Amino acid sequence: MRNSILEAAEILKAAKYTIAFTGAGISAESGIPTYRGKGGVWLETNPKILELSFFLQNPEETWAQIRDKFYRYFGKITPNSAHYTLSNWQTKGFLCDIITQNIDHLHQDAGCHSVHEFHGTLHSLSCVHCGKQYKASTIDMHTLPFCTACSKRRNFLKPNFVFFGEGIPEKAYDASIKAAEKADVCIIIGTSGLVRPAATIPHFAHENGTKIIEINLEPSNYTDSISDVFLAGKATEILAQIDAVM
Ligand code: OAD
Protein backbone atom coordinates (compact mmCIF):
# COMPACT_ATOMS: atom_id res chain seq x y z
CA MET A 1 0.00 0.00 0.00
CA ARG A 2 1.41 3.36 -1.04
CA ASN A 3 0.48 6.54 0.73
CA SER A 4 2.35 9.44 -0.79
CA ILE A 5 0.87 12.56 -2.30
CA LEU A 6 3.54 12.56 -4.99
CA GLU A 7 2.67 9.03 -6.08
CA ALA A 8 -1.00 9.97 -6.31
CA ALA A 9 -0.14 13.05 -8.39
CA GLU A 10 2.09 11.02 -10.71
CA ILE A 11 -0.68 8.48 -11.29
CA LEU A 12 -3.20 11.25 -11.97
CA LYS A 13 -0.87 13.10 -14.35
CA ALA A 14 -0.20 9.93 -16.36
CA ALA A 15 -3.88 8.95 -16.51
CA LYS A 16 -5.89 9.11 -19.73
CA TYR A 17 -9.33 8.88 -18.14
CA THR A 18 -9.81 9.61 -14.43
CA ILE A 19 -13.08 9.31 -12.56
CA ALA A 20 -13.96 10.29 -9.01
CA PHE A 21 -16.26 8.23 -6.80
CA THR A 22 -17.48 10.34 -3.90
CA GLY A 23 -19.45 9.91 -0.70
CA ALA A 24 -20.65 11.90 2.28
CA GLY A 25 -17.10 12.57 3.50
CA ILE A 26 -16.45 15.08 0.69
CA SER A 27 -19.41 17.18 1.87
CA ALA A 28 -18.66 16.83 5.59
CA GLU A 29 -16.52 19.97 5.50
CA SER A 30 -19.46 21.89 4.04
CA GLY A 31 -21.27 21.08 7.30
CA ILE A 32 -23.41 18.13 6.21
CA PRO A 33 -23.24 15.13 8.53
CA THR A 34 -22.08 11.80 7.13
CA TYR A 35 -24.32 8.74 7.49
CA ARG A 36 -22.15 6.52 9.66
CA GLY A 37 -19.61 7.15 12.39
CA LYS A 38 -19.60 9.96 14.93
CA GLY A 39 -22.49 12.38 14.36
CA GLY A 40 -23.76 10.24 11.47
CA VAL A 41 -27.39 10.47 10.32
CA TRP A 42 -28.09 6.76 10.90
CA LEU A 43 -26.92 6.92 14.51
CA GLU A 44 -29.83 9.10 15.51
CA THR A 45 -32.39 8.39 12.79
CA ASN A 46 -34.29 5.21 12.08
CA PRO A 47 -33.36 4.23 8.48
CA LYS A 48 -36.97 3.03 8.15
CA ILE A 49 -37.95 6.59 7.15
CA LEU A 50 -36.16 5.98 3.85
CA GLU A 51 -37.73 2.59 3.22
CA LEU A 52 -39.94 3.07 0.19
CA SER A 53 -42.79 0.87 1.43
CA PHE A 54 -42.80 2.56 4.85
CA PHE A 55 -42.86 6.03 3.30
CA LEU A 56 -45.68 5.11 0.91
CA GLN A 57 -47.76 3.72 3.76
CA ASN A 58 -46.98 6.49 6.27
CA PRO A 59 -46.24 9.58 4.16
CA GLU A 60 -47.44 12.25 6.59
CA GLU A 61 -45.69 10.75 9.58
CA THR A 62 -42.46 10.21 7.66
CA TRP A 63 -42.37 13.53 5.80
CA ALA A 64 -41.50 15.65 8.84
CA GLN A 65 -38.51 13.45 9.62
CA ILE A 66 -37.31 13.39 6.02
CA ARG A 67 -37.65 17.17 5.85
CA ASP A 68 -35.80 17.71 9.13
CA LYS A 69 -32.97 15.29 8.31
CA PHE A 70 -32.43 15.84 4.64
CA TYR A 71 -33.85 19.27 3.75
CA ARG A 72 -32.47 20.94 6.84
CA TYR A 73 -29.41 22.10 4.92
CA PHE A 74 -31.19 22.70 1.62
CA GLY A 75 -30.24 26.07 0.13
CA LYS A 76 -27.97 26.84 3.10
CA ILE A 77 -24.81 24.95 2.23
CA THR A 78 -22.06 25.69 -0.23
CA PRO A 79 -19.33 23.59 -1.83
CA ASN A 80 -16.00 23.35 -0.04
CA SER A 81 -12.53 23.48 -1.54
CA ALA A 82 -12.56 19.72 -2.24
CA HIS A 83 -15.54 20.18 -4.58
CA TYR A 84 -13.77 23.15 -6.23
CA THR A 85 -10.53 21.22 -6.70
CA LEU A 86 -12.43 18.53 -8.60
CA SER A 87 -14.13 21.21 -10.70
CA ASN A 88 -10.77 22.78 -11.46
CA TRP A 89 -9.34 19.39 -12.44
CA GLN A 90 -12.22 18.89 -14.85
CA THR A 91 -11.47 22.26 -16.43
CA LYS A 92 -7.79 21.31 -16.78
CA GLY A 93 -8.66 17.91 -18.22
CA PHE A 94 -7.33 15.87 -15.26
CA LEU A 95 -10.76 14.50 -14.34
CA CYS A 96 -13.60 13.26 -16.53
CA ASP A 97 -16.62 11.92 -14.65
CA ILE A 98 -17.78 12.19 -11.05
CA ILE A 99 -19.90 9.36 -9.73
CA THR A 100 -21.43 10.55 -6.49
CA GLN A 101 -23.56 8.90 -3.85
CA ASN A 102 -24.35 12.36 -2.49
CA ILE A 103 -27.73 13.96 -3.01
CA ASP A 104 -26.64 17.49 -2.09
CA HIS A 105 -25.79 18.87 -5.58
CA LEU A 106 -22.54 20.38 -4.27
CA HIS A 107 -20.40 19.03 -7.11
CA GLN A 108 -22.61 20.82 -9.64
CA ASP A 109 -22.73 23.94 -7.45
CA ALA A 110 -18.93 23.99 -7.63
CA GLY A 111 -19.13 23.99 -11.45
CA CYS A 112 -18.52 20.28 -12.07
CA HIS A 113 -19.98 18.56 -15.11
CA SER A 114 -20.59 14.89 -15.93
CA VAL A 115 -21.81 14.30 -12.38
CA HIS A 116 -23.69 11.00 -12.10
CA GLU A 117 -25.98 11.10 -9.07
CA PHE A 118 -26.12 7.42 -8.20
CA HIS A 119 -28.51 7.98 -5.30
CA GLY A 120 -30.56 10.70 -6.98
CA THR A 121 -31.02 14.22 -5.68
CA LEU A 122 -32.66 16.35 -3.03
CA HIS A 123 -33.26 19.05 -5.58
CA SER A 124 -36.41 17.65 -7.10
CA LEU A 125 -39.45 15.65 -6.08
CA SER A 126 -41.99 13.68 -8.06
CA CYS A 127 -45.63 12.75 -7.64
CA VAL A 128 -45.91 9.13 -6.54
CA HIS A 129 -49.09 8.87 -8.62
CA CYS A 130 -48.43 10.62 -11.97
CA GLY A 131 -44.67 11.20 -11.81
CA LYS A 132 -44.86 14.98 -12.39
CA GLN A 133 -41.58 16.60 -11.44
CA TYR A 134 -41.21 19.53 -9.03
CA LYS A 135 -38.15 21.60 -8.12
CA ALA A 136 -37.55 21.44 -4.37
CA SER A 137 -37.03 25.21 -4.33
CA THR A 138 -40.67 25.71 -5.39
CA ILE A 139 -42.16 23.44 -2.73
CA ASP A 140 -43.58 24.41 0.65
CA MET A 141 -41.85 21.87 2.87
CA HIS A 142 -43.85 22.53 6.04
CA THR A 143 -46.35 19.77 5.41
CA LEU A 144 -46.34 16.77 3.10
CA PRO A 145 -46.42 18.29 -0.41
CA PHE A 146 -49.08 17.20 -2.90
CA CYS A 147 -49.19 17.19 -6.69
CA THR A 148 -51.14 20.02 -8.27
CA ALA A 149 -51.51 18.22 -11.60
CA CYS A 150 -53.44 15.15 -10.55
CA SER A 151 -56.22 14.89 -8.04
CA LYS A 152 -56.09 11.19 -7.32
CA ARG A 153 -55.88 9.86 -3.80
CA ARG A 154 -52.28 9.47 -2.59
CA ASN A 155 -50.92 12.10 -5.00
CA PHE A 156 -48.17 13.22 -2.64
CA LEU A 157 -44.60 13.98 -3.64
CA LYS A 158 -41.51 11.91 -2.93
CA PRO A 159 -37.99 13.35 -3.01
CA ASN A 160 -36.02 12.11 -5.99
CA PHE A 161 -33.34 10.50 -3.92
CA VAL A 162 -33.09 6.76 -3.75
CA PHE A 163 -35.01 5.15 -0.92
CA PHE A 164 -34.16 1.68 0.35
CA GLY A 165 -36.07 -0.77 -1.83
CA GLU A 166 -35.89 1.49 -4.86
CA GLY A 167 -33.78 1.03 -8.01
CA ILE A 168 -30.83 3.22 -8.94
CA PRO A 169 -31.81 5.94 -11.49
CA GLU A 170 -31.17 4.27 -14.84
CA LYS A 171 -29.39 7.19 -16.49
CA ALA A 172 -26.96 7.64 -13.60
CA TYR A 173 -26.37 3.90 -13.36
CA ASP A 174 -25.59 3.49 -17.06
CA ALA A 175 -23.36 6.57 -17.16
CA SER A 176 -21.47 5.37 -14.05
CA ILE A 177 -20.82 1.95 -15.54
CA LYS A 178 -19.67 3.49 -18.83
CA ALA A 179 -17.33 5.85 -17.00
CA ALA A 180 -15.95 3.03 -14.83
CA GLU A 181 -15.29 0.96 -17.95
CA LYS A 182 -13.32 3.79 -19.57
CA ALA A 183 -11.37 4.81 -16.47
CA ASP A 184 -7.72 4.01 -15.99
CA VAL A 185 -7.71 5.83 -12.62
CA CYS A 186 -10.46 6.12 -10.01
CA ILE A 187 -10.11 8.45 -7.06
CA ILE A 188 -12.39 7.43 -4.19
CA ILE A 189 -13.17 10.26 -1.77
CA GLY A 190 -14.95 10.09 1.59
CA THR A 191 -17.05 6.96 1.42
CA SER A 192 -17.27 3.93 3.68
CA GLY A 193 -18.03 1.75 0.63
CA LEU A 194 -20.73 -0.10 2.51
CA VAL A 195 -23.83 0.55 0.43
CA ARG A 196 -24.40 -1.60 -2.63
CA PRO A 197 -24.71 -1.43 -5.56
CA ALA A 198 -22.91 1.94 -5.46
CA ALA A 199 -20.01 0.46 -3.51
CA THR A 200 -19.30 -2.04 -6.27
CA ILE A 201 -18.38 0.63 -8.85
CA PRO A 202 -14.73 0.97 -7.71
CA HIS A 203 -14.46 -2.84 -7.49
CA PHE A 204 -15.79 -3.11 -11.03
CA ALA A 205 -13.22 -0.55 -12.21
CA HIS A 206 -10.42 -2.30 -10.32
CA GLU A 207 -11.29 -5.61 -11.99
CA ASN A 208 -10.83 -3.84 -15.35
CA GLY A 209 -7.33 -2.78 -14.34
CA THR A 210 -8.14 0.73 -13.09
CA LYS A 211 -5.70 2.17 -10.54
CA ILE A 212 -7.38 3.21 -7.29
CA ILE A 213 -6.41 6.25 -5.21
CA GLU A 214 -8.37 6.60 -1.99
CA ILE A 215 -8.81 9.59 0.32
CA ASN A 216 -10.51 9.08 3.68
CA LEU A 217 -10.09 10.07 7.31
CA GLU A 218 -9.76 6.38 8.10
CA PRO A 219 -9.37 3.08 6.26
CA SER A 220 -12.54 1.88 4.53
CA ASN A 221 -13.76 -1.29 2.91
CA TYR A 222 -11.61 -0.45 -0.11
CA THR A 223 -8.32 0.30 1.61
CA ASP A 224 -6.89 -3.18 2.03
CA SER A 225 -8.77 -4.74 -0.85
CA ILE A 226 -8.35 -2.56 -3.94
CA SER A 227 -6.69 0.78 -3.10
CA ASP A 228 -3.27 1.25 -4.72
CA VAL A 229 -2.69 4.52 -2.86
CA PHE A 230 -4.41 5.40 0.42
CA LEU A 231 -4.17 8.99 1.65
CA ALA A 232 -5.43 9.49 5.19
CA GLY A 233 -6.89 12.89 6.00
CA LYS A 234 -9.57 15.43 5.19
CA ALA A 235 -10.67 15.60 1.57
CA THR A 236 -10.05 19.37 1.39
CA GLU A 237 -6.50 19.08 2.70
CA ILE A 238 -5.41 16.00 0.76
CA LEU A 239 -6.84 17.28 -2.53
CA ALA A 240 -5.10 20.64 -2.00
CA GLN A 241 -1.80 18.84 -1.39
CA ILE A 242 -2.18 16.76 -4.55
CA ASP A 243 -3.25 19.82 -6.52
CA ALA A 244 -0.13 21.69 -5.40
CA VAL A 245 2.11 19.15 -7.15
CA MET A 246 0.01 18.51 -10.26
P1 OAD B 1 -20.72 7.13 5.19
O1 OAD B 1 -21.25 7.97 6.29
O2 OAD B 1 -21.02 5.67 5.22
O3 OAD B 1 -19.14 7.28 5.10
C1 OAD B 1 -18.53 8.54 5.08
C2 OAD B 1 -17.03 8.32 4.94
O4 OAD B 1 -16.41 9.58 4.83
C3 OAD B 1 -16.40 7.60 6.14
O5 OAD B 1 -15.59 6.54 5.67
C4 OAD B 1 -15.56 8.70 6.81
O6 OAD B 1 -14.37 8.20 7.40
C5 OAD B 1 -15.25 9.60 5.64
N1 OAD B 1 -15.03 11.03 5.97
C6 OAD B 1 -15.70 11.79 6.87
N2 OAD B 1 -15.28 13.05 6.84
C7 OAD B 1 -14.31 13.12 5.88
C8 OAD B 1 -13.49 14.16 5.37
N3 OAD B 1 -13.57 15.41 5.83
N4 OAD B 1 -12.61 13.86 4.40
C9 OAD B 1 -12.50 12.58 3.93
N5 OAD B 1 -13.25 11.55 4.37
C10 OAD B 1 -14.14 11.82 5.33
O7 OAD B 1 -21.23 7.80 3.83
P2 OAD B 1 -21.32 7.17 2.37
O8 OAD B 1 -20.24 6.17 2.16
O9 OAD B 1 -21.43 8.29 1.42
O10 OAD B 1 -27.45 6.20 0.73
O11 OAD B 1 -22.71 6.43 2.48
C11 OAD B 1 -23.21 5.73 1.37
C12 OAD B 1 -24.70 5.77 1.36
O12 OAD B 1 -25.22 5.36 2.63
C13 OAD B 1 -25.30 7.16 1.19
O13 OAD B 1 -25.32 7.59 -0.15
C14 OAD B 1 -26.70 6.95 1.70
C15 OAD B 1 -26.40 6.16 2.95
O14 OAD B 1 -27.41 5.31 3.40
C16 OAD B 1 -28.78 6.29 0.68
O15 OAD B 1 -29.40 6.94 1.48
C17 OAD B 1 -29.41 5.52 -0.43
mmCIF file of all heavy atoms in Angstrom, residues 173-207:
data_model
loop_
_atom_site.group_PDB
_atom_site.id
_atom_site.type_symbol
_atom_site.label_atom_id
_atom_site.label_comp_id
_atom_site.label_asym_id
_atom_site.label_seq_id
_atom_site.Cartn_x
_atom_site.Cartn_y
_atom_site.Cartn_z
ATOM 1 N N TYR A 173 -26.982 5.235 -13.438
ATOM 2 C CA TYR A 173 -26.369 3.901 -13.356
ATOM 3 C C TYR A 173 -25.576 3.610 -14.640
ATOM 4 O O TYR A 173 -24.402 3.242 -14.598
ATOM 5 C CB TYR A 173 -27.448 2.832 -13.134
ATOM 6 C CG TYR A 173 -26.871 1.441 -12.973
ATOM 7 C CD1 TYR A 173 -26.451 0.994 -11.726
ATOM 8 C CD2 TYR A 173 -26.715 0.598 -14.070
ATOM 9 C CE1 TYR A 173 -25.895 -0.273 -11.577
ATOM 10 C CE2 TYR A 173 -26.160 -0.669 -13.929
ATOM 11 C CZ TYR A 173 -25.756 -1.097 -12.674
ATOM 12 O OH TYR A 173 -25.200 -2.340 -12.537
ATOM 13 N N ASP A 174 -26.244 3.795 -15.783
ATOM 14 C CA ASP A 174 -25.592 3.487 -17.057
ATOM 15 C C ASP A 174 -24.357 4.360 -17.278
ATOM 16 O O ASP A 174 -23.308 3.880 -17.708
ATOM 17 C CB ASP A 174 -26.571 3.695 -18.228
ATOM 18 C CG ASP A 174 -27.670 2.642 -18.224
ATOM 19 O OD1 ASP A 174 -27.539 1.637 -17.500
ATOM 20 O OD2 ASP A 174 -28.678 2.833 -18.937
ATOM 21 N N ALA A 175 -24.502 5.650 -16.963
ATOM 22 C CA ALA A 175 -23.365 6.569 -17.157
ATOM 23 C C ALA A 175 -22.213 6.193 -16.229
ATOM 24 O O ALA A 175 -21.030 6.293 -16.607
ATOM 25 C CB ALA A 175 -23.807 8.004 -16.892
ATOM 26 N N SER A 176 -22.524 5.746 -15.020
ATOM 27 C CA SER A 176 -21.475 5.371 -14.055
ATOM 28 C C SER A 176 -20.721 4.141 -14.543
ATOM 29 O O SER A 176 -19.489 4.078 -14.470
ATOM 30 C CB SER A 176 -22.091 5.082 -12.676
ATOM 31 O OG SER A 176 -22.767 6.216 -12.208
ATOM 32 N N ILE A 177 -21.470 3.171 -15.038
ATOM 33 C CA ILE A 177 -20.821 1.951 -15.539
ATOM 34 C C ILE A 177 -19.933 2.285 -16.744
ATOM 35 O O ILE A 177 -18.777 1.846 -16.821
ATOM 36 C CB ILE A 177 -21.877 0.878 -15.936
ATOM 37 C CG1 ILE A 177 -22.645 0.415 -14.704
ATOM 38 C CG2 ILE A 177 -21.247 -0.301 -16.690
ATOM 39 C CD1 ILE A 177 -21.835 -0.434 -13.740
ATOM 40 N N LYS A 178 -20.460 3.111 -17.645
ATOM 41 C CA LYS A 178 -19.673 3.488 -18.829
ATOM 42 C C LYS A 178 -18.386 4.187 -18.404
ATOM 43 O O LYS A 178 -17.309 3.910 -18.934
ATOM 44 C CB LYS A 178 -20.485 4.444 -19.716
ATOM 45 C CG LYS A 178 -21.338 3.702 -20.706
ATOM 46 C CD LYS A 178 -21.814 4.624 -21.823
ATOM 47 C CE LYS A 178 -22.900 3.878 -22.583
ATOM 48 N NZ LYS A 178 -24.163 4.579 -22.652
ATOM 49 N N ALA A 179 -18.506 5.097 -17.461
ATOM 50 C CA ALA A 179 -17.328 5.847 -16.996
ATOM 51 C C ALA A 179 -16.330 4.900 -16.338
ATOM 52 O O ALA A 179 -15.117 4.980 -16.578
ATOM 53 C CB ALA A 179 -17.752 6.940 -16.017
ATOM 54 N N ALA A 180 -16.844 3.971 -15.520
ATOM 55 C CA ALA A 180 -15.951 3.032 -14.827
ATOM 56 C C ALA A 180 -15.246 2.115 -15.828
ATOM 57 O O ALA A 180 -14.094 1.725 -15.623
ATOM 58 C CB ALA A 180 -16.732 2.222 -13.801
ATOM 59 N N GLU A 181 -15.918 1.802 -16.920
ATOM 60 C CA GLU A 181 -15.291 0.957 -17.954
ATOM 61 C C GLU A 181 -14.143 1.684 -18.653
ATOM 62 O O GLU A 181 -13.136 1.084 -18.998
ATOM 63 C CB GLU A 181 -16.337 0.549 -19.001
ATOM 64 C CG GLU A 181 -17.153 -0.659 -18.581
ATOM 65 C CD GLU A 181 -18.343 -0.907 -19.521
ATOM 66 O OE1 GLU A 181 -18.658 -0.042 -20.362
ATOM 67 O OE2 GLU A 181 -18.953 -1.961 -19.378
ATOM 68 N N LYS A 182 -14.341 3.011 -18.840
ATOM 69 C CA LYS A 182 -13.325 3.786 -19.565
ATOM 70 C C LYS A 182 -12.129 4.166 -18.685
ATOM 71 O O LYS A 182 -11.046 4.451 -19.187
ATOM 72 C CB LYS A 182 -13.948 5.098 -20.066
ATOM 73 C CG LYS A 182 -14.827 4.926 -21.287
ATOM 74 C CD LYS A 182 -15.125 6.285 -21.876
ATOM 75 C CE LYS A 182 -16.611 6.548 -21.872
ATOM 76 N NZ LYS A 182 -17.033 7.895 -22.156
ATOM 77 N N ALA A 183 -12.360 4.206 -17.366
ATOM 78 C CA ALA A 183 -11.366 4.812 -16.470
ATOM 79 C C ALA A 183 -10.084 3.998 -16.354
ATOM 80 O O ALA A 183 -10.130 2.776 -16.220
ATOM 81 C CB ALA A 183 -11.977 4.973 -15.079
ATOM 82 N N ASP A 184 -8.952 4.703 -16.388
ATOM 83 C CA ASP A 184 -7.717 4.014 -15.994
ATOM 84 C C ASP A 184 -7.305 4.412 -14.577
ATOM 85 O O ASP A 184 -6.455 3.756 -13.973
ATOM 86 C CB ASP A 184 -6.572 4.197 -17.017
ATOM 87 C CG ASP A 184 -6.264 5.645 -17.323
ATOM 88 O OD1 ASP A 184 -6.991 6.540 -16.844
ATOM 89 O OD2 ASP A 184 -5.279 5.892 -18.051
ATOM 90 N N VAL A 185 -7.927 5.473 -14.034
ATOM 91 C CA VAL A 185 -7.707 5.828 -12.622
ATOM 92 C C VAL A 185 -9.045 6.213 -11.997
ATOM 93 O O VAL A 185 -9.863 6.899 -12.623
ATOM 94 C CB VAL A 185 -6.716 7.026 -12.487
ATOM 95 C CG1 VAL A 185 -6.582 7.454 -11.028
ATOM 96 C CG2 VAL A 185 -5.356 6.661 -13.056
ATOM 97 N N CYS A 186 -9.248 5.736 -10.766
ATOM 98 C CA CYS A 186 -10.458 6.122 -10.014
ATOM 99 C C CYS A 186 -9.995 6.662 -8.670
ATOM 100 O O CYS A 186 -9.239 6.011 -7.956
ATOM 101 C CB CYS A 186 -11.354 4.897 -9.807
ATOM 102 S SG CYS A 186 -12.748 5.195 -8.698
ATOM 103 N N ILE A 187 -10.463 7.870 -8.348
ATOM 104 C CA ILE A 187 -10.111 8.450 -7.063
ATOM 105 C C ILE A 187 -11.359 8.401 -6.175
ATOM 106 O O ILE A 187 -12.390 8.981 -6.508
ATOM 107 C CB ILE A 187 -9.482 9.859 -7.240
ATOM 108 C CG1 ILE A 187 -9.169 10.484 -5.897
ATOM 109 C CG2 ILE A 187 -10.292 10.791 -8.080
ATOM 110 C CD1 ILE A 187 -8.118 11.592 -6.002
ATOM 111 N N ILE A 188 -11.255 7.634 -5.101
ATOM 112 C CA ILE A 188 -12.389 7.434 -4.187
ATOM 113 C C ILE A 188 -12.236 8.446 -3.050
ATOM 114 O O ILE A 188 -11.187 8.507 -2.411
ATOM 115 C CB ILE A 188 -12.359 6.017 -3.573
ATOM 116 C CG1 ILE A 188 -12.366 4.936 -4.650
ATOM 117 C CG2 ILE A 188 -13.507 5.824 -2.598
ATOM 118 C CD1 ILE A 188 -12.192 3.514 -4.087
ATOM 119 N N ILE A 189 -13.296 9.217 -2.802
ATOM 120 C CA ILE A 189 -13.171 10.261 -1.772
ATOM 121 C C ILE A 189 -14.322 10.180 -0.767
ATOM 122 O O ILE A 189 -15.496 10.312 -1.132
ATOM 123 C CB ILE A 189 -13.171 11.673 -2.421
ATOM 124 C CG1 ILE A 189 -12.123 11.756 -3.526
ATOM 125 C CG2 ILE A 189 -12.921 12.751 -1.354
ATOM 126 C CD1 ILE A 189 -12.252 12.993 -4.402
ATOM 127 N N GLY A 190 -13.986 9.946 0.488
ATOM 128 C CA GLY A 190 -14.953 10.094 1.588
ATOM 129 C C GLY A 190 -16.157 9.191 1.540
ATOM 130 O O GLY A 190 -17.278 9.657 1.739
ATOM 131 N N THR A 191 -15.922 7.895 1.335
ATOM 132 C CA THR A 191 -17.049 6.962 1.424
ATOM 133 C C THR A 191 -16.621 5.708 2.168
ATOM 134 O O THR A 191 -15.477 5.265 2.039
ATOM 135 C CB THR A 191 -17.616 6.597 0.036
ATOM 136 O OG1 THR A 191 -18.634 5.590 0.200
ATOM 137 C CG2 THR A 191 -16.565 6.086 -0.922
ATOM 138 N N SER A 192 -17.578 5.166 2.940
ATOM 139 C CA SER A 192 -17.274 3.932 3.680
ATOM 140 C C SER A 192 -17.321 2.728 2.742
ATOM 141 O O SER A 192 -16.842 1.654 3.091
ATOM 142 C CB SER A 192 -18.284 3.751 4.813
ATOM 143 O OG SER A 192 -19.600 3.726 4.286
ATOM 144 N N GLY A 193 -17.958 2.866 1.587
ATOM 145 C CA GLY A 193 -18.029 1.752 0.633
ATOM 146 C C GLY A 193 -18.890 0.610 1.137
ATOM 147 O O GLY A 193 -18.651 -0.544 0.798
ATOM 148 N N LEU A 194 -19.909 0.954 1.900
ATOM 149 C CA LEU A 194 -20.727 -0.100 2.510
ATOM 150 C C LEU A 194 -22.072 -0.302 1.828
ATOM 151 O O LEU A 194 -22.755 -1.282 2.105
ATOM 152 C CB LEU A 194 -20.986 0.237 3.996
ATOM 153 C CG LEU A 194 -19.764 0.153 4.910
ATOM 154 C CD1 LEU A 194 -20.088 0.668 6.306
ATOM 155 C CD2 LEU A 194 -19.280 -1.294 4.985
ATOM 156 N N VAL A 195 -22.473 0.641 0.981
ATOM 157 C CA VAL A 195 -23.826 0.555 0.425
ATOM 158 C C VAL A 195 -23.780 0.114 -1.039
ATOM 159 O O VAL A 195 -23.220 0.794 -1.890
ATOM 160 C CB VAL A 195 -24.555 1.914 0.590
ATOM 161 C CG1 VAL A 195 -25.914 1.885 -0.068
ATOM 162 C CG2 VAL A 195 -24.714 2.215 2.075
ATOM 163 N N ARG A 196 -24.363 -1.032 -1.273
ATOM 164 C CA ARG A 196 -24.399 -1.596 -2.627
ATOM 165 C C ARG A 196 -25.695 -1.195 -3.307
ATOM 166 O O ARG A 196 -26.679 -0.969 -2.614
ATOM 167 C CB ARG A 196 -24.323 -3.128 -2.526
ATOM 168 C CG ARG A 196 -22.967 -3.594 -1.971
ATOM 169 C CD ARG A 196 -23.055 -5.024 -1.520
ATOM 170 N NE ARG A 196 -23.217 -5.912 -2.654
ATOM 171 C CZ ARG A 196 -22.224 -6.529 -3.279
ATOM 172 N NH1 ARG A 196 -20.995 -6.346 -2.863
ATOM 173 N NH2 ARG A 196 -22.451 -7.316 -4.298
ATOM 174 N N PRO A 197 -25.771 -1.096 -4.615
ATOM 175 C CA PRO A 197 -24.709 -1.432 -5.558
ATOM 176 C C PRO A 197 -23.657 -0.349 -5.769
ATOM 177 O O PRO A 197 -22.636 -0.607 -6.408
ATOM 178 C CB PRO A 197 -25.469 -1.689 -6.860
ATOM 179 C CG PRO A 197 -26.663 -0.807 -6.772
ATOM 180 C CD PRO A 197 -27.039 -0.776 -5.315
ATOM 181 N N ALA A 198 -23.884 0.861 -5.219
ATOM 182 C CA ALA A 198 -22.906 1.940 -5.461
ATOM 183 C C ALA A 198 -21.484 1.484 -5.139
ATOM 184 O O ALA A 198 -20.550 1.695 -5.921
ATOM 185 C CB ALA A 198 -23.271 3.162 -4.612
ATOM 186 N N ALA A 199 -21.352 0.824 -4.000
ATOM 187 C CA ALA A 199 -20.013 0.460 -3.514
ATOM 188 C C ALA A 199 -19.260 -0.457 -4.466
ATOM 189 O O ALA A 199 -18.027 -0.560 -4.384
ATOM 190 C CB ALA A 199 -20.154 -0.208 -2.151
ATOM 191 N N THR A 200 -19.984 -1.097 -5.370
ATOM 192 C CA THR A 200 -19.304 -2.044 -6.268
ATOM 193 C C THR A 200 -18.618 -1.337 -7.455
ATOM 194 O O THR A 200 -17.819 -1.957 -8.153
ATOM 195 C CB THR A 200 -20.302 -3.085 -6.835
ATOM 196 O OG1 THR A 200 -21.284 -2.392 -7.610
ATOM 197 C CG2 THR A 200 -20.994 -3.874 -5.738
ATOM 198 N N ILE A 201 -18.947 -0.075 -7.676
ATOM 199 C CA ILE A 201 -18.381 0.633 -8.848
ATOM 200 C C ILE A 201 -16.840 0.625 -8.824
ATOM 201 O O ILE A 201 -16.209 0.228 -9.808
ATOM 202 C CB ILE A 201 -18.936 2.087 -8.946
ATOM 203 C CG1 ILE A 201 -20.445 2.071 -9.201
ATOM 204 C CG2 ILE A 201 -18.195 2.912 -9.982
ATOM 205 C CD1 ILE A 201 -20.864 1.754 -10.622
ATOM 206 N N PRO A 202 -16.213 1.026 -7.709
ATOM 207 C CA PRO A 202 -14.735 0.968 -7.712
ATOM 208 C C PRO A 202 -14.194 -0.450 -7.866
ATOM 209 O O PRO A 202 -13.148 -0.649 -8.500
ATOM 210 C CB PRO A 202 -14.352 1.562 -6.345
ATOM 211 C CG PRO A 202 -15.513 2.421 -5.972
ATOM 212 C CD PRO A 202 -16.729 1.690 -6.489
ATOM 213 N N HIS A 203 -14.904 -1.445 -7.324
ATOM 214 C CA HIS A 203 -14.461 -2.838 -7.487
ATOM 215 C C HIS A 203 -14.518 -3.236 -8.967
ATOM 216 O O HIS A 203 -13.612 -3.874 -9.498
ATOM 217 C CB HIS A 203 -15.348 -3.794 -6.675
ATOM 218 C CG HIS A 203 -15.092 -3.711 -5.198
ATOM 219 N ND1 HIS A 203 -14.007 -4.299 -4.590
ATOM 220 C CD2 HIS A 203 -15.768 -3.076 -4.216
ATOM 221 C CE1 HIS A 203 -14.032 -4.055 -3.300
ATOM 222 N NE2 HIS A 203 -15.085 -3.309 -3.044
ATOM 223 N N PHE A 204 -15.600 -2.830 -9.611
ATOM 224 C CA PHE A 204 -15.785 -3.114 -11.032
ATOM 225 C C PHE A 204 -14.628 -2.486 -11.833
ATOM 226 O O PHE A 204 -14.022 -3.134 -12.705
ATOM 227 C CB PHE A 204 -17.149 -2.554 -11.455
ATOM 228 C CG PHE A 204 -17.416 -2.586 -12.920
ATOM 229 C CD1 PHE A 204 -17.640 -3.794 -13.571
ATOM 230 C CD2 PHE A 204 -17.455 -1.415 -13.660
ATOM 231 C CE1 PHE A 204 -17.895 -3.826 -14.932
ATOM 232 C CE2 PHE A 204 -17.720 -1.432 -15.015
ATOM 233 C CZ PHE A 204 -17.938 -2.641 -15.658
ATOM 234 N N ALA A 205 -14.323 -1.237 -11.514
ATOM 235 C CA ALA A 205 -13.222 -0.555 -12.214
ATOM 236 C C ALA A 205 -11.905 -1.283 -11.949
ATOM 237 O O ALA A 205 -11.126 -1.543 -12.876
ATOM 238 C CB ALA A 205 -13.147 0.901 -11.753
ATOM 239 N N HIS A 206 -11.672 -1.614 -10.698
ATOM 240 C CA HIS A 206 -10.419 -2.303 -10.320
ATOM 241 C C HIS A 206 -10.254 -3.606 -11.105
ATOM 242 O O HIS A 206 -9.160 -3.926 -11.577
ATOM 243 C CB HIS A 206 -10.454 -2.578 -8.815
ATOM 244 C CG HIS A 206 -9.385 -3.484 -8.325
ATOM 245 N ND1 HIS A 206 -8.068 -3.088 -8.169
ATOM 246 C CD2 HIS A 206 -9.425 -4.795 -7.959
ATOM 247 C CE1 HIS A 206 -7.355 -4.109 -7.731
ATOM 248 N NE2 HIS A 206 -8.148 -5.152 -7.597
ATOM 249 N N GLU A 207 -11.364 -4.340 -11.247
ATOM 250 C CA GLU A 207 -11.285 -5.612 -11.991
ATOM 251 C C GLU A 207 -10.909 -5.385 -13.456
ATOM 252 O O GLU A 207 -10.355 -6.261 -14.108
ATOM 253 C CB GLU A 207 -12.628 -6.364 -11.902
ATOM 254 C CG GLU A 207 -12.749 -7.137 -10.591
ATOM 255 C CD GLU A 207 -14.178 -7.421 -10.208
ATOM 256 O OE1 GLU A 207 -15.055 -7.457 -11.096
ATOM 257 O OE2 GLU A 207 -14.422 -7.576 -8.994
#
